[in-house]
Amino acid sequence: MILKRIVLFFAAALLSSGLANALPDEGMWLPMLLKQLNEADMQQKGLKLSAEDIYSINQSSLKDAIVSFGGFCTGEMISPEGLLLTNHHCGYGQVQAHSTVENDYLTKGFWAMNREQELPNPGLTATFIVRMEDVTKQVLSGIPATATEAAREAAIQKNIARVRSEAIAGTDYNAIIRPFFYGNEYYMYVTETFRDVRLVGAPPSAIGKFGGDTDNWMWPRHTGDFSIFRIYAGPGNKPADYSPNNKPYKPKHHLPISLNGVTEGDFTLVFGFPGRTSEYLTSHAVQEIYEVSNPAKINIRDTKLRILDKDMKASDAVRIQYAAKYASIANYWKKWIGENRGLQKANTIARKQQLEQQFQQWAATNDKRQQQYGNLMADFEKNYRSLDGITISRDYITEAALGIELIKQAADYMKLQELLDKKASESLINSTADQLADAAAGFYKNYNAPTDKKVFAALMALYYNDIDPKLHPEVFKTVQQQYKGDFEKYADAVYGKSFFTSEAGVKEAMAAIKAGKTQVLKNDPAFQLASGIVSHYRANILPTYTQVNDNLNLLYRTYMTGLREMQQDKKFYPDANSTLRVAYGEVEPYEPLDGIKYKYYTTLEGVMEKAAMEGIEDYVIPARLKELYEQKDYGPYGVNGEMPVAFIASNHTTGGNSGSPVINAHGQLIGTNFDRNWEGTMSDISYNPDQVRNIAIDARYMLFIVDKFAGAGHLVQEMTLVTDDTSGLAHVDSKRKSSEKEAKKEKKKEKKRKRKEKEPAL
Ligand code: ARG
Ligand code: GLU
């Protein structure tokens, strides 16, 4: 312990002396500010490109190869003909949608052997960033400093609408404007969204999801988590709805793929769309997350997962119905567990408290500051205290009550009841009833009422017992009076009577409503409970929650201003908000626990080791993969008889970065991001450089699976594979040069014209 402190002390001393200008790898940076904030640091860390090569609006740059995939993941262009690389878990829904019992692409994988076989996916989009712009001035114009938060917000929305529509007038672009640093700054992203995105290839789940939930959030990792799509465009290479006449999109840039792989210490960059982080929360908020929210949510999901697991093990039908739901519930359940451990290990709460004390002291050093920031910490404290019981109630409503499928389902019908109450027109009521009945089909295909009933009894009991009775919904009185708090009995009654337990029941009820029986919903016990809980939420939780969050937003806006004033040498990056960002770091091993050091890469050897463990379903592999391993048939993708599979680096990433390209110092693709290590999941709240690593599939493993495993070498031929260090922009350099030539020619012409103009007319 003492030794560790001494080391820390020296490390700190070192940092404050010579190495001060090297930033830690923390940060998700705005592409348009790289030149100003990061270029020097990135180059010092090994980047061979300029900021302009990464993000430019005048010439093609790396950003032209990056898309937001469906709005929830990232993807990158890897061929001049619109091939898009992303994760298997990002394309999972599409692969599943195309799968049938006879053609089970999830299990067997899917490979289009020619363009005709590529499969359209209605609703799936790929969005490029055309340019971004600082619009703070325009968005905040005409807003007095004294405006209330509500008035300010209303004025901002008006300004945003104006700025947006001006920016995209006469184009088929879209634009989004988002607050950064809690509304201290606003940036606009002008976007171009393609709507014809087809499935090209996906490995079997035994490769693409290898390790499943057992390995999720973990390193060492062996998942071939990738899938391939293709963007199609209409006339003029422009976005169009699906049409057989559409042509493969020609991107302004696609990433060349390096066959050289990675070595410890290599510079890496992740370019993508991180979803959400909260790095500037005060200690009060982190304490609430750590002590109250996370433990509660973990416990609720834990309870639910146990029930699902038991029923899934007992029945194949239930297993198939609940596989995807189980994975998605387990994903954040596991993340929160890791997050709490990481917060504890890094001593985050104490460190935040220290910073807040330092802030207080700094504020006290002069009158103006004292006036502006002196009460800030006390105000935070007060506001967070007024959320006592509110945040946790909200957690139980979203996680426990609405975590019960029947309740969630019934709650969706509240809009229909509202129409009935309002005596809306018959046609509106009927069409709403029809829509709900249609949507029900998809839901009930994967619904098993007996399983859900067990979840109901367990989760309702948690809600009832864990939440202060003062904050109970009215309907809980019934449980008390009629069922004496016995949730099994209550479940029997609800599931015995509610029409929401089956699709047929819903269809019948909707038909009855259309026939004028307006009491059907109100008489249903699941509906009564759902609407009771939601109404309670709207009446007793939401108003305080909204009010306090408005207050907090102002406090955080002020705090950000103050922090940036206090730490003038520090470079600040805004929290993730699903906008395009650059993270950079290096390929780096780590020590998760005393005595353990993890290498920075894994190989096919490890896949075989895991596959040899008996009885772990997540580790079953296709026979063909084993064959290739035994023959060491790795083509040009292996190194020294080994097949690299995944690697880690210290890039700051979060959910939404899935599918993001990991790019080397030369602008070449070396991997695709798909996860974070468990020890590092607290980086959404506080980045610990010691422990945080992003996990990527090695690009060579992707190529090996496409070419050697799937025999889809025609796809590899479309890609640009490189083995030298020439810039990742080399193949666009020729394009760039020719456009420079064009520009020069234009200039000459212009000069000539001007000279002519000057010549006296004859
Ligand atoms: N943890 C990764 C991410 O947050 C992968 C999730 C999908 N994989 C899984 N086994 N559930 O989204
Ligand atoms: N798997 C995550 C995603 O879907 C990325 C992991 C993370 O949260 O860093 O975006």
Side-chain angles (χ1 to χ4, degrees), residues 155-187:
I156 284 175
Q157 287 313 324
K158 248 179 152 174
N159 286 345
I160 283 182
R162 197 193 60 241
V163 178
R164 269 194 72 224
S165 69
E166 279 170 15
I168 57 178
T171 70
D172 56 0
Y173 295 151
N174 198 352
I176 52 162
I177 297 179
R178 295 253 165 89
F180 291 73
F181 296 116
Y182 294 92
N184 277 305
E185 294 170 15
Y186 286 80
Y187 288 87

PDB file of all heavy atoms in Angstrom, residues 155-187:
ATOM      1  N   ALA A 155     -36.762  29.581 -25.547  1.00  0.00           N
ATOM      2  CA  ALA A 155     -36.104  30.472 -26.508  1.00  0.00           C
ATOM      3  C   ALA A 155     -35.046  29.703 -27.303  1.00  0.00           C
ATOM      4  O   ALA A 155     -34.898  29.894 -28.515  1.00  0.00           O
ATOM      5  CB  ALA A 155     -35.478  31.647 -25.777  1.00  0.00           C
ATOM      6  N   ILE A 156     -34.332  28.822 -26.609  1.00  0.00           N
ATOM      7  CA  ILE A 156     -33.299  28.033 -27.283  1.00  0.00           C
ATOM      8  C   ILE A 156     -33.917  27.163 -28.372  1.00  0.00           C
ATOM      9  O   ILE A 156     -33.412  27.093 -29.500  1.00  0.00           O
ATOM     10  CB  ILE A 156     -32.535  27.174 -26.249  1.00  0.00           C
ATOM     11  CG1 ILE A 156     -31.565  28.062 -25.463  1.00  0.00           C
ATOM     12  CG2 ILE A 156     -31.793  26.029 -26.924  1.00  0.00           C
ATOM     13  CD1 ILE A 156     -30.836  27.360 -24.344  1.00  0.00           C
ATOM     14  N   GLN A 157     -35.032  26.524 -28.046  1.00  0.00           N
ATOM     15  CA  GLN A 157     -35.661  25.645 -29.026  1.00  0.00           C
ATOM     16  C   GLN A 157     -36.082  26.432 -30.272  1.00  0.00           C
ATOM     17  O   GLN A 157     -35.970  25.942 -31.385  1.00  0.00           O
ATOM     18  CB  GLN A 157     -36.858  24.907 -28.419  1.00  0.00           C
ATOM     19  CG  GLN A 157     -36.473  23.801 -27.433  1.00  0.00           C
ATOM     20  CD  GLN A 157     -35.362  22.877 -27.947  1.00  0.00           C
ATOM     21  OE1 GLN A 157     -35.280  22.562 -29.128  1.00  0.00           O
ATOM     22  NE2 GLN A 157     -34.465  22.458 -27.042  1.00  0.00           N
ATOM     23  N   LYS A 158     -36.551  27.635 -30.059  1.00  0.00           N
ATOM     24  CA  LYS A 158     -36.945  28.486 -31.185  1.00  0.00           C
ATOM     25  C   LYS A 158     -35.734  28.807 -32.054  1.00  0.00           C
ATOM     26  O   LYS A 158     -35.778  28.689 -33.278  1.00  0.00           O
ATOM     27  CB  LYS A 158     -37.523  29.796 -30.644  1.00  0.00           C
ATOM     28  CG  LYS A 158     -39.004  29.966 -30.908  1.00  0.00           C
ATOM     29  CD  LYS A 158     -39.423  31.268 -30.307  1.00  0.00           C
ATOM     30  CE  LYS A 158     -40.583  31.919 -30.981  1.00  0.00           C
ATOM     31  NZ  LYS A 158     -40.973  33.115 -30.199  1.00  0.00           N
ATOM     32  N   ASN A 159     -34.653  29.231 -31.393  1.00  0.00           N
ATOM     33  CA  ASN A 159     -33.425  29.545 -32.128  1.00  0.00           C
ATOM     34  C   ASN A 159     -32.910  28.328 -32.884  1.00  0.00           C
ATOM     35  O   ASN A 159     -32.480  28.425 -34.034  1.00  0.00           O
ATOM     36  CB  ASN A 159     -32.343  30.046 -31.170  1.00  0.00           C
ATOM     37  CG  ASN A 159     -32.622  31.464 -30.688  1.00  0.00           C
ATOM     38  OD1 ASN A 159     -33.453  32.162 -31.274  1.00  0.00           O
ATOM     39  ND2 ASN A 159     -31.942  31.882 -29.630  1.00  0.00           N
ATOM     40  N   ILE A 160     -32.958  27.189 -32.208  1.00  0.00           N
ATOM     41  CA  ILE A 160     -32.452  25.960 -32.832  1.00  0.00           C
ATOM     42  C   ILE A 160     -33.234  25.665 -34.112  1.00  0.00           C
ATOM     43  O   ILE A 160     -32.656  25.349 -35.153  1.00  0.00           O
ATOM     44  CB  ILE A 160     -32.528  24.771 -31.837  1.00  0.00           C
ATOM     45  CG1 ILE A 160     -31.374  24.878 -30.829  1.00  0.00           C
ATOM     46  CG2 ILE A 160     -32.485  23.444 -32.565  1.00  0.00           C
ATOM     47  CD1 ILE A 160     -31.298  23.743 -29.829  1.00  0.00           C
ATOM     48  N   ALA A 161     -34.553  25.804 -34.014  1.00  0.00           N
ATOM     49  CA  ALA A 161     -35.376  25.512 -35.188  1.00  0.00           C
ATOM     50  C   ALA A 161     -34.966  26.410 -36.354  1.00  0.00           C
ATOM     51  O   ALA A 161     -34.856  25.965 -37.497  1.00  0.00           O
ATOM     52  CB  ALA A 161     -36.847  25.699 -34.849  1.00  0.00           C
ATOM     53  N   ARG A 162     -34.693  27.684 -36.053  1.00  0.00           N
ATOM     54  CA  ARG A 162     -34.331  28.626 -37.106  1.00  0.00           C
ATOM     55  C   ARG A 162     -32.962  28.264 -37.707  1.00  0.00           C
ATOM     56  O   ARG A 162     -32.815  28.135 -38.913  1.00  0.00           O
ATOM     57  CB  ARG A 162     -34.306  30.051 -36.549  1.00  0.00           C
ATOM     58  CG  ARG A 162     -34.342  31.120 -37.639  1.00  0.00           C
ATOM     59  CD  ARG A 162     -33.994  32.499 -37.105  1.00  0.00           C
ATOM     60  NE  ARG A 162     -32.683  32.542 -36.528  1.00  0.00           N
ATOM     61  CZ  ARG A 162     -32.411  32.832 -35.257  1.00  0.00           C
ATOM     62  NH1 ARG A 162     -33.383  33.131 -34.412  1.00  0.00           N
ATOM     63  NH2 ARG A 162     -31.173  32.837 -34.808  1.00  0.00           N
ATOM     64  N   VAL A 163     -31.976  28.066 -36.829  1.00  0.00           N
ATOM     65  CA  VAL A 163     -30.620  27.769 -37.302  1.00  0.00           C
ATOM     66  C   VAL A 163     -30.620  26.490 -38.144  1.00  0.00           C
ATOM     67  O   VAL A 163     -29.996  26.417 -39.206  1.00  0.00           O
ATOM     68  CB  VAL A 163     -29.645  27.627 -36.109  1.00  0.00           C
ATOM     69  CG1 VAL A 163     -28.250  27.272 -36.590  1.00  0.00           C
ATOM     70  CG2 VAL A 163     -29.617  28.910 -35.291  1.00  0.00           C
ATOM     71  N   ARG A 164     -31.343  25.502 -37.684  1.00  0.00           N
ATOM     72  CA  ARG A 164     -31.415  24.222 -38.402  1.00  0.00           C
ATOM     73  C   ARG A 164     -31.972  24.427 -39.802  1.00  0.00           C
ATOM     74  O   ARG A 164     -31.410  23.972 -40.781  1.00  0.00           O
ATOM     75  CB  ARG A 164     -32.369  23.270 -37.670  1.00  0.00           C
ATOM     76  CG  ARG A 164     -31.724  22.390 -36.645  1.00  0.00           C
ATOM     77  CD  ARG A 164     -32.699  21.290 -36.258  1.00  0.00           C
ATOM     78  NE  ARG A 164     -32.835  20.326 -37.330  1.00  0.00           N
ATOM     79  CZ  ARG A 164     -33.975  19.816 -37.741  1.00  0.00           C
ATOM     80  NH1 ARG A 164     -35.109  20.180 -37.176  1.00  0.00           N
ATOM     81  NH2 ARG A 164     -34.000  18.932 -38.718  1.00  0.00           N
ATOM     82  N   SER A 165     -33.118  25.105 -39.851  1.00  0.00           N
ATOM     83  CA  SER A 165     -33.767  25.172 -41.154  1.00  0.00           C
ATOM     84  C   SER A 165     -32.947  26.019 -42.117  1.00  0.00           C
ATOM     85  O   SER A 165     -32.887  25.727 -43.306  1.00  0.00           O
ATOM     86  CB  SER A 165     -35.207  25.664 -41.022  1.00  0.00           C
ATOM     87  OG  SER A 165     -35.205  27.007 -40.646  1.00  0.00           O
ATOM     88  N   GLU A 166     -32.254  27.039 -41.605  1.00  0.00           N
ATOM     89  CA  GLU A 166     -31.365  27.808 -42.478  1.00  0.00           C
ATOM     90  C   GLU A 166     -30.226  26.945 -42.999  1.00  0.00           C
ATOM     91  O   GLU A 166     -29.849  27.034 -44.160  1.00  0.00           O
ATOM     92  CB  GLU A 166     -30.788  29.009 -41.717  1.00  0.00           C
ATOM     93  CG  GLU A 166     -31.756  30.184 -41.649  1.00  0.00           C
ATOM     94  CD  GLU A 166     -31.269  31.267 -40.689  1.00  0.00           C
ATOM     95  OE1 GLU A 166     -30.062  31.249 -40.308  1.00  0.00           O
ATOM     96  OE2 GLU A 166     -32.093  32.107 -40.320  1.00  0.00           O
ATOM     97  N   ALA A 167     -29.720  26.095 -42.127  1.00  0.00           N
ATOM     98  CA  ALA A 167     -28.548  25.297 -42.502  1.00  0.00           C
ATOM     99  C   ALA A 167     -28.862  24.289 -43.600  1.00  0.00           C
ATOM    100  O   ALA A 167     -27.996  23.967 -44.410  1.00  0.00           O
ATOM    101  CB  ALA A 167     -27.997  24.579 -41.281  1.00  0.00           C
ATOM    102  N   ILE A 168     -30.087  23.786 -43.617  1.00  0.00           N
ATOM    103  CA  ILE A 168     -30.361  22.705 -44.571  1.00  0.00           C
ATOM    104  C   ILE A 168     -31.296  23.116 -45.699  1.00  0.00           C
ATOM    105  O   ILE A 168     -31.663  22.298 -46.532  1.00  0.00           O
ATOM    106  CB  ILE A 168     -30.936  21.466 -43.846  1.00  0.00           C
ATOM    107  CG1 ILE A 168     -32.205  21.825 -43.076  1.00  0.00           C
ATOM    108  CG2 ILE A 168     -29.899  20.872 -42.917  1.00  0.00           C
ATOM    109  CD1 ILE A 168     -32.835  20.632 -42.383  1.00  0.00           C
ATOM    110  N   ALA A 169     -31.633  24.412 -45.727  1.00  0.00           N
ATOM    111  CA  ALA A 169     -32.539  24.882 -46.770  1.00  0.00           C
ATOM    112  C   ALA A 169     -31.987  24.511 -48.146  1.00  0.00           C
ATOM    113  O   ALA A 169     -30.802  24.701 -48.426  1.00  0.00           O
ATOM    114  CB  ALA A 169     -32.711  26.389 -46.662  1.00  0.00           C
ATOM    115  N   GLY A 170     -32.826  23.966 -48.982  1.00  0.00           N
ATOM    116  CA  GLY A 170     -32.433  23.646 -50.344  1.00  0.00           C
ATOM    117  C   GLY A 170     -31.549  22.412 -50.481  1.00  0.00           C
ATOM    118  O   GLY A 170     -31.028  22.139 -51.552  1.00  0.00           O
ATOM    119  N   THR A 171     -31.338  21.674 -49.404  1.00  0.00           N
ATOM    120  CA  THR A 171     -30.550  20.438 -49.501  1.00  0.00           C
ATOM    121  C   THR A 171     -31.425  19.279 -49.042  1.00  0.00           C
ATOM    122  O   THR A 171     -32.511  19.501 -48.506  1.00  0.00           O
ATOM    123  CB  THR A 171     -29.321  20.467 -48.565  1.00  0.00           C
ATOM    124  OG1 THR A 171     -29.783  20.381 -47.202  1.00  0.00           O
ATOM    125  CG2 THR A 171     -28.519  21.740 -48.735  1.00  0.00           C
ATOM    126  N   ASP A 172     -30.951  18.046 -49.245  1.00  0.00           N
ATOM    127  CA  ASP A 172     -31.693  16.937 -48.646  1.00  0.00           C
ATOM    128  C   ASP A 172     -30.970  16.441 -47.387  1.00  0.00           C
ATOM    129  O   ASP A 172     -31.080  15.302 -46.989  1.00  0.00           O
ATOM    130  CB  ASP A 172     -31.958  15.814 -49.659  1.00  0.00           C
ATOM    131  CG  ASP A 172     -30.685  15.302 -50.280  1.00  0.00           C
ATOM    132  OD1 ASP A 172     -29.596  15.817 -49.922  1.00  0.00           O
ATOM    133  OD2 ASP A 172     -30.776  14.384 -51.119  1.00  0.00           O
ATOM    134  N   TYR A 173     -30.206  17.326 -46.806  1.00  0.00           N
ATOM    135  CA  TYR A 173     -29.528  17.008 -45.552  1.00  0.00           C
ATOM    136  C   TYR A 173     -30.468  17.196 -44.374  1.00  0.00           C
ATOM    137  O   TYR A 173     -31.519  17.831 -44.478  1.00  0.00           O
ATOM    138  CB  TYR A 173     -28.320  17.934 -45.349  1.00  0.00           C
ATOM    139  CG  TYR A 173     -27.227  17.762 -46.372  1.00  0.00           C
ATOM    140  CD1 TYR A 173     -26.400  18.825 -46.717  1.00  0.00           C
ATOM    141  CD2 TYR A 173     -27.017  16.524 -46.985  1.00  0.00           C
ATOM    142  CE1 TYR A 173     -25.383  18.668 -47.650  1.00  0.00           C
ATOM    143  CE2 TYR A 173     -26.008  16.356 -47.916  1.00  0.00           C
ATOM    144  CZ  TYR A 173     -25.200  17.437 -48.250  1.00  0.00           C
ATOM    145  OH  TYR A 173     -24.202  17.287 -49.164  1.00  0.00           O
ATOM    146  N   ASN A 174     -30.031  16.663 -43.238  1.00  0.00           N
ATOM    147  CA  ASN A 174     -30.718  16.926 -41.987  1.00  0.00           C
ATOM    148  C   ASN A 174     -29.709  17.645 -41.089  1.00  0.00           C
ATOM    149  O   ASN A 174     -28.519  17.689 -41.412  1.00  0.00           O
ATOM    150  CB  ASN A 174     -31.161  15.603 -41.366  1.00  0.00           C
ATOM    151  CG  ASN A 174     -32.232  15.821 -40.319  1.00  0.00           C
ATOM    152  OD1 ASN A 174     -32.541  16.958 -39.940  1.00  0.00           O
ATOM    153  ND2 ASN A 174     -32.801  14.739 -39.847  1.00  0.00           N
ATOM    154  N   ALA A 175     -30.150  18.206 -39.988  1.00  0.00           N
ATOM    155  CA  ALA A 175     -29.204  18.814 -39.059  1.00  0.00           C
ATOM    156  C   ALA A 175     -29.682  18.588 -37.648  1.00  0.00           C
ATOM    157  O   ALA A 175     -30.888  18.660 -37.380  1.00  0.00           O
ATOM    158  CB  ALA A 175     -29.071  20.307 -39.332  1.00  0.00           C
ATOM    159  N   ILE A 176     -28.754  18.274 -36.756  1.00  0.00           N
ATOM    160  CA  ILE A 176     -29.129  18.207 -35.351  1.00  0.00           C
ATOM    161  C   ILE A 176     -28.255  19.179 -34.567  1.00  0.00           C
ATOM    162  O   ILE A 176     -27.083  19.379 -34.877  1.00  0.00           O
ATOM    163  CB  ILE A 176     -28.991  16.800 -34.742  1.00  0.00           C
ATOM    164  CG1 ILE A 176     -27.594  16.231 -35.011  1.00  0.00           C
ATOM    165  CG2 ILE A 176     -30.042  15.853 -35.254  1.00  0.00           C
ATOM    166  CD1 ILE A 176     -27.258  15.085 -34.081  1.00  0.00           C
ATOM    167  N   ILE A 177     -28.881  19.797 -33.583  1.00  0.00           N
ATOM    168  CA  ILE A 177     -28.145  20.727 -32.721  1.00  0.00           C
ATOM    169  C   ILE A 177     -28.298  20.219 -31.298  1.00  0.00           C
ATOM    170  O   ILE A 177     -29.411  19.950 -30.845  1.00  0.00           O
ATOM    171  CB  ILE A 177     -28.695  22.152 -32.851  1.00  0.00           C
ATOM    172  CG1 ILE A 177     -28.496  22.637 -34.292  1.00  0.00           C
ATOM    173  CG2 ILE A 177     -28.017  23.090 -31.850  1.00  0.00           C
ATOM    174  CD1 ILE A 177     -29.027  24.022 -34.566  1.00  0.00           C
ATOM    175  N   ARG A 178     -27.183  20.065 -30.613  1.00  0.00           N
ATOM    176  CA  ARG A 178     -27.234  19.521 -29.258  1.00  0.00           C
ATOM    177  C   ARG A 178     -26.483  20.422 -28.289  1.00  0.00           C
ATOM    178  O   ARG A 178     -25.507  21.064 -28.672  1.00  0.00           O
ATOM    179  CB  ARG A 178     -26.535  18.141 -29.213  1.00  0.00           C
ATOM    180  CG  ARG A 178     -27.204  17.081 -30.013  1.00  0.00           C
ATOM    181  CD  ARG A 178     -27.920  16.077 -29.098  1.00  0.00           C
ATOM    182  NE  ARG A 178     -28.837  15.272 -29.871  1.00  0.00           N
ATOM    183  CZ  ARG A 178     -28.501  14.133 -30.473  1.00  0.00           C
ATOM    184  NH1 ARG A 178     -27.280  13.657 -30.343  1.00  0.00           N
ATOM    185  NH2 ARG A 178     -29.380  13.477 -31.176  1.00  0.00           N
ATOM    186  N   PRO A 179     -26.932  20.433 -27.024  1.00  0.00           N
ATOM    187  CA  PRO A 179     -26.163  21.154 -26.008  1.00  0.00           C
ATOM    188  C   PRO A 179     -24.907  20.369 -25.616  1.00  0.00           C
ATOM    189  O   PRO A 179     -24.927  19.139 -25.602  1.00  0.00           O
ATOM    190  CB  PRO A 179     -27.125  21.218 -24.820  1.00  0.00           C
ATOM    191  CG  PRO A 179     -28.090  20.095 -25.015  1.00  0.00           C
ATOM    192  CD  PRO A 179     -28.147  19.817 -26.490  1.00  0.00           C
ATOM    193  N   PHE A 180     -23.840  21.097 -25.333  1.00  0.00           N
ATOM    194  CA  PHE A 180     -22.598  20.499 -24.840  1.00  0.00           C
ATOM    195  C   PHE A 180     -22.228  21.226 -23.557  1.00  0.00           C
ATOM    196  O   PHE A 180     -22.553  22.394 -23.384  1.00  0.00           O
ATOM    197  CB  PHE A 180     -21.486  20.650 -25.888  1.00  0.00           C
ATOM    198  CG  PHE A 180     -21.722  19.798 -27.120  1.00  0.00           C
ATOM    199  CD1 PHE A 180     -22.698  20.148 -28.041  1.00  0.00           C
ATOM    200  CD2 PHE A 180     -20.996  18.642 -27.331  1.00  0.00           C
ATOM    201  CE1 PHE A 180     -22.938  19.363 -29.163  1.00  0.00           C
ATOM    202  CE2 PHE A 180     -21.226  17.853 -28.454  1.00  0.00           C
ATOM    203  CZ  PHE A 180     -22.199  18.213 -29.367  1.00  0.00           C
ATOM    204  N   PHE A 181     -21.537  20.547 -22.663  1.00  0.00           N
ATOM    205  CA  PHE A 181     -21.181  21.140 -21.366  1.00  0.00           C
ATOM    206  C   PHE A 181     -22.426  21.747 -20.696  1.00  0.00           C
ATOM    207  O   PHE A 181     -22.423  22.888 -20.275  1.00  0.00           O
ATOM    208  CB  PHE A 181     -20.095  22.213 -21.528  1.00  0.00           C
ATOM    209  CG  PHE A 181     -18.788  21.684 -22.038  1.00  0.00           C
ATOM    210  CD1 PHE A 181     -18.288  22.084 -23.281  1.00  0.00           C
ATOM    211  CD2 PHE A 181     -18.028  20.800 -21.286  1.00  0.00           C
ATOM    212  CE1 PHE A 181     -17.080  21.602 -23.753  1.00  0.00           C
ATOM    213  CE2 PHE A 181     -16.808  20.317 -21.758  1.00  0.00           C
ATOM    214  CZ  PHE A 181     -16.335  20.716 -22.987  1.00  0.00           C
ATOM    215  N   TYR A 182     -23.502  20.957 -20.651  1.00  0.00           N
ATOM    216  CA  TYR A 182     -24.736  21.375 -19.971  1.00  0.00           C
ATOM    217  C   TYR A 182     -25.295  22.686 -20.514  1.00  0.00           C
ATOM    218  O   TYR A 182     -25.818  23.508 -19.773  1.00  0.00           O
ATOM    219  CB  TYR A 182     -24.517  21.478 -18.455  1.00  0.00           C
ATOM    220  CG  TYR A 182     -24.224  20.155 -17.809  1.00  0.00           C
ATOM    221  CD1 TYR A 182     -22.918  19.710 -17.639  1.00  0.00           C
ATOM    222  CD2 TYR A 182     -25.261  19.336 -17.372  1.00  0.00           C
ATOM    223  CE1 TYR A 182     -22.642  18.482 -17.061  1.00  0.00           C
ATOM    224  CE2 TYR A 182     -24.999  18.102 -16.799  1.00  0.00           C
ATOM    225  CZ  TYR A 182     -23.686  17.678 -16.638  1.00  0.00           C
ATOM    226  OH  TYR A 182     -23.428  16.468 -16.069  1.00  0.00           O
ATOM    227  N   GLY A 183     -25.170  22.882 -21.822  1.00  0.00           N
ATOM    228  CA  GLY A 183     -25.784  24.058 -22.420  1.00  0.00           C
ATOM    229  C   GLY A 183     -24.908  25.303 -22.395  1.00  0.00           C
ATOM    230  O   GLY A 183     -25.382  26.400 -22.654  1.00  0.00           O
ATOM    231  N   ASN A 184     -23.620  25.135 -22.090  1.00  0.00           N
ATOM    232  CA  ASN A 184     -22.707  26.266 -22.249  1.00  0.00           C
ATOM    233  C   ASN A 184     -22.382  26.480 -23.721  1.00  0.00           C
ATOM    234  O   ASN A 184     -22.053  27.580 -24.142  1.00  0.00           O
ATOM    235  CB  ASN A 184     -21.400  26.027 -21.483  1.00  0.00           C
ATOM    236  CG  ASN A 184     -21.525  26.400 -20.026  1.00  0.00           C
ATOM    237  OD1 ASN A 184     -21.900  27.515 -19.702  1.00  0.00           O
ATOM    238  ND2 ASN A 184     -21.242  25.454 -19.135  1.00  0.00           N
ATOM    239  N   GLU A 185     -22.424  25.374 -24.482  1.00  0.00           N
ATOM    240  CA  GLU A 185     -22.111  25.455 -25.904  1.00  0.00           C
ATOM    241  C   GLU A 185     -23.108  24.618 -26.694  1.00  0.00           C
ATOM    242  O   GLU A 185     -23.712  23.685 -26.154  1.00  0.00           O
ATOM    243  CB  GLU A 185     -20.685  24.916 -26.152  1.00  0.00           C
ATOM    244  CG  GLU A 185     -19.615  25.779 -25.508  1.00  0.00           C
ATOM    245  CD  GLU A 185     -18.226  25.144 -25.540  1.00  0.00           C
ATOM    246  OE1 GLU A 185     -18.012  24.182 -26.297  1.00  0.00           O
ATOM    247  OE2 GLU A 185     -17.363  25.616 -24.782  1.00  0.00           O
ATOM    248  N   TYR A 186     -23.279  24.999 -27.963  1.00  0.00           N
ATOM    249  CA  TYR A 186     -24.153  24.245 -28.861  1.00  0.00           C
ATOM    250  C   TYR A 186     -23.425  23.984 -30.166  1.00  0.00           C
ATOM    251  O   TYR A 186     -22.779  24.886 -30.708  1.00  0.00           O
ATOM    252  CB  TYR A 186     -25.457  25.019 -29.128  1.00  0.00           C
ATOM    253  CG  TYR A 186     -26.386  24.977 -27.931  1.00  0.00           C
ATOM    254  CD1 TYR A 186     -26.195  25.827 -26.852  1.00  0.00           C
ATOM    255  CD2 TYR A 186     -27.424  24.050 -27.881  1.00  0.00           C
ATOM    256  CE1 TYR A 186     -27.009  25.765 -25.735  1.00  0.00           C
ATOM    257  CE2 TYR A 186     -28.254  23.978 -26.769  1.00  0.00           C
ATOM    258  CZ  TYR A 186     -28.044  24.840 -25.700  1.00  0.00           C
ATOM    259  OH  TYR A 186     -28.841  24.761 -24.602  1.00  0.00           O
ATOM    260  N   TYR A 187     -23.499  22.747 -30.635  1.00  0.00           N
ATOM    261  CA  TYR A 187     -22.908  22.418 -31.927  1.00  0.00           C
ATOM    262  C   TYR A 187     -23.963  21.817 -32.833  1.00  0.00           C
ATOM    263  O   TYR A 187     -24.854  21.102 -32.369  1.00  0.00           O
ATOM    264  CB  TYR A 187     -21.750  21.428 -31.769  1.00  0.00           C
ATOM    265  CG  TYR A 187     -20.529  22.075 -31.163  1.00  0.00           C
ATOM    266  CD1 TYR A 187     -20.381  22.153 -29.785  1.00  0.00           C
ATOM    267  CD2 TYR A 187     -19.535  22.614 -31.976  1.00  0.00           C
ATOM    268  CE1 TYR A 187     -19.274  22.773 -29.223  1.00  0.00           C
ATOM    269  CE2 TYR A 187     -18.417  23.220 -31.422  1.00  0.00           C
ATOM    270  CZ  TYR A 187     -18.293  23.300 -30.034  1.00  0.00           C
ATOM    271  OH  TYR A 187     -17.204  23.899 -29.500  1.00  0.00           O
TER     272      TYR A 187
END
